[in-house]
Amino acid sequence: MAFTHGKNATCLMGAFDLSAYLNSITVSRDIEVADTSTFGTSAAVPRTFIPGVNNGTISLAGFWDGTQTSGPDERFHAQIVGDQVITTIGQGLSTIGNHAELLTVREVKYEIAAELGNAITIAVDGQIDGTANHGYWLHAKDTAETNGGAVNYTGVNTGLATISTIRSTLHVLAFSGTSATIKIQSSVDNVTYIDRITHTAATGVTSESKVVTGLTVTGTPTVYIRAVIAAGSVYTSITFGVAGSAAV
């Protein structure tokens, strides 16, 4: 049994790391069920149900900061228009292999609260648009890469014997150079890797979500995934967080 302290929770939205402004992050999932119990059912027979539609939401809370372009107030005001925002949330540090939630979120509510004697606080509600995907960090968002060229990062064991789908969320938080291309690869043995997702080449701060389906990858015994900076990338420094998920 291994518990995790909440102090290291991570929230990346778009090309911004909002973790330092927040003190509460909640990801909620639920599924509708329809009652199919019928008349004449005896008291000894339990009610029956069939599954309906999945739903997911996020709730964020923290402290107000009005810094232009980078502060949370600027970000959350810009996002309240309802557009999709690429979001990755981690329950711990963004260390490679730690768990992450890969999401596309539409912000639906933004509150600012000021009280005498207390710091100004903020609260944000978001609707998850599509599937909430449980995956792993494939590169730590706090580590700037200064290699200047291709880099292969550590592979992560998905624990799955066979996969058909790989998703990835990428958040480039800072960049200097010409361009850098982040790829997600898979391996059946953590030795030989094959490209599965190629993110759009980054030339500045950006975010992107991509998915590939229809794969048939069988591990020996399990499948691994990893992130790489592709050959041909030319940069001085890139700070980014990237997460990946795999599904049967």
Side-chain angles (χ1 to χ4, degrees):
M1 188 177 294
F3 299 114
T4 301
H5 199 285
K7 66 179 182 180
N8 293 321
T10 301
C11 179
L12 305 184
M13 298 190 79
F16 296 89
D17 180 4
L18 298 171
S19 312
Y21 305 100
L22 303 175
N23 60 9
S24 177
I25 302 172
T26 302
V27 180
S28 178
R29 298 183 182 90
D30 63 82
I31 183 170
E32 298 174 350
V33 291
D35 193 337
T36 56
S37 306
T38 59
F39 294 121
T41 300
S42 70
V45 177
R47 299 173 76 100
T48 58
F49 298 85
I50 57 174
V53 180
N54 287 294
N55 184 48
T57 59
I58 68 167
S59 297
L60 311 174
F63 298 99
W64 184 87
D65 183 318
T67 303
Q68 287 189 340
T69 70
S70 62
D73 185 61
E74 187 88 4
R75 291 295 89 221
F76 292 133
H77 268 301
Q79 292 170 187
I80 196 63
V81 294
D83 290 343
Q84 291 182 330
V85 181
I86 308 305
T87 302
T88 307
I89 292 175
Q91 288 73 31
L93 292 171
S94 61
T95 307
I96 292 175
N98 279 0
H99 290 287
E101 305 290 335
L102 290 67
L103 313 170
T104 302
V105 174
R106 295 184 188 272
E107 184 182 324
V108 297
K109 186 177 182 180
Y110 177 43
E111 292 183 335
I112 304 171
E115 296 181 0
L116 182 65
N118 291 316
I120 299 174
T121 60
I122 56 175
V124 177
D125 291 334
Q127 175 66 51
I128 297 173
D129 190 348
T131 305
N133 299 286
H134 186 62
Y136 305 92
W137 290 106
L138 302 181
H139 183 268
K141 54 94 176 176
D142 293 317
T143 303
E145 182 59 69
T146 58
N147 176 280
V151 184
N152 297 332
Y153 296 103
T154 303
V156 175
N157 189 346
T158 66
L160 300 174
T162 302
I163 66 170
S164 65
T165 301
I166 297 177
R167 289 179 171 83
S168 174
T169 50
L170 170 66
H171 307 263
V172 179
L173 308 175
F175 182 83
S176 61
T178 303
S179 68
T181 300
I182 311 300
K183 294 184 177 183
I184 307 300
Q185 301 177 328
S186 72
S187 172
V188 300
D189 55 9
N190 200 27
V191 177
T192 302
Y193 277 84
I194 297 173
D195 292 350
R196 298 300 185 184
I197 291 176
T198 300
H199 281 285
T200 303
T203 58
V205 296
T206 187
S207 64
E208 186 176 51
S209 176
K210 280 197 168 185
V211 59
V212 59
T213 60
L215 302 174
T216 303
V217 183
T218 301
T220 52
T222 53
V223 179
Y224 287 74
I225 57 175
R226 74 176 183 185
V228 305
I229 300 180
S233 297
V234 179
Y235 57 92
T236 303
S237 176
I238 179 172
T239 303
F240 69 99
V242 63
S245 68
V248 176

